[in-house]
Amino acid sequence: MKLAVTDPRGKRARAIEVDDSVFGVEPHGAVVHQTLLAQLAARRSGSASTKSRSEVRGSTRKISRQKGLGAARQGSRRAPHRRGGGVVFGPRPRSFRQRLPKRMRRLAIRSVLSSRVREERLRVITTLDGAGPGAAPSTRSVVALLRGLGVERSVLIVTGAPDRSAYLSARNVAGADVLPADTLSVADLLAHHTVVLTVDAVRRCEELWGGERASGRSRAAHAPAAGEVA
């Protein structure tokens, strides 16, 4: 399939051929949902912690004798039912990470990208003004780019490689974020209304999630065995 490419001023420049296995697959909603839940769960710190009766401060001496007072039996001041006592079955530090197969993560990324193409919410640009090594950051150029593309809501700008200049250029633009293609995730894609990719980012996405990786087969699987003629 082909995607239209515009220049930084929002004018159509040309069209490029892209990998159908990345930008033209049938979206798999269930896999996208499961991947999103796993990524959001991994963002949780899991640092909530309470102290049990063995960890709180206080004497372990029995408060009163067992019988003869006509009151309930009492243990130490660390008992859970007393003020300042320990907590029963309280939260402890833990990890919320969920294991997700690599093929499912890749399918989820391809599904979201393909969905954005179908909904006409994915744009491809030749390059980003104010990007590249040594380029001076320019917030004005990012604002002009988004205005030329007709982007009025949140936008995720994806570059082919980490670019600090591009990040600084879009840092002060409300609703705009910049990420390299290597760190792209389903949560980031779904958190923004529009996705803008540079041509380099498109090619990097094809390297990461297209070709043999899209079919779930590795090059090693196609390599001839020992003594076998290729």
Side-chain angles (χ1 to χ4, degrees):
M1 64 180 299
K2 291 186 177 182
L3 293 179
V5 181
T6 59
D7 59 18
R9 295 169 181 79
K11 297 182 180 179
R12 177 163 179 167
R14 63 181 190 277
I16 59 173
E17 192 75 26
V18 297
D19 191 349
D20 290 346
S21 63
V22 179
F23 298 96
V25 301
E26 183 69 25
H28 199 302
V31 172
V32 172
H33 179 259
Q34 186 172 348
T35 304
L36 176 62
L37 292 183
Q39 292 178 355
L40 293 180
R43 294 181 179 182
R44 299 181 63 178
S45 61
S47 59
S49 180
T50 55
K51 293 183 178 181
S52 65
R53 65 184 301 166
S54 64
E55 297 171 323
V56 296
R57 185 177 181 180
S59 173
T60 58
R61 181 176 181 271
K62 188 172 175 63
I63 296 176
S64 60
R65 66 175 187 262
Q66 184 79 352
K67 297 184 178 182
L69 298 180
R73 295 167 290 185
Q74 299 293 329
S76 71
R77 296 185 182 276
R78 298 185 182 185
H81 67 281
R82 301 192 64 86
R83 182 177 179 179
V87 178
V88 180
F89 303 128
R92 305 293 291 182
R94 54 165 293 191
S95 173
F96 288 92
R97 292 186 177 274
Q98 303 176 14
R99 182 187 175 277
L100 199 65
K102 188 181 298 183
R103 292 178 63 181
M104 291 184 63
R105 295 198 303 267
R106 292 174 178 172
L107 176 58
I109 286 283
R110 298 197 304 270
S111 295
V112 177
L113 290 174
S114 300
S115 177
R116 290 292 182 263
V117 172
R118 289 188 176 190
E119 299 167 355
E120 298 183 353
R121 290 162 56 185
L122 185 143
R123 312 292 175 82
V124 181
I125 58 176
T126 54
T127 184
L128 184 64
D129 285 347
S138 174
T139 302
R140 181 180 300 177
S141 64
V142 175
V143 173
L145 169 66
L146 299 182
R147 185 182 297 115
L149 294 176
V151 176
E152 299 179 352
R153 300 175 64 177
S154 60
V155 58
L156 178 64
I157 302 174
V158 185
T159 58
D163 194 326
R164 179 170 176 78
S165 179
Y167 166 76
L168 295 176
S169 299
R171 182 174 57 177
N172 290 332
V173 180
D177 290 304
V178 176
L179 284 177
D182 291 47
T183 62
L184 201 59
S185 68
V186 171
D188 293 323
L189 290 172
L190 295 179
H192 298 81
H193 180 268
T194 307
V195 179
V196 177
L197 293 88
T198 63
V199 176
D200 291 340
V202 172
R203 299 312 178 197
R204 184 56 181 161
C205 289
E206 291 174 341
E207 293 177 7
L208 291 172
W209 306 299
E212 294 179 348
R213 298 192 178 193
S215 61
R217 295 174 297 178
S218 63
R219 295 183 179 180
H222 296 279
E228 183 179 351
V229 179

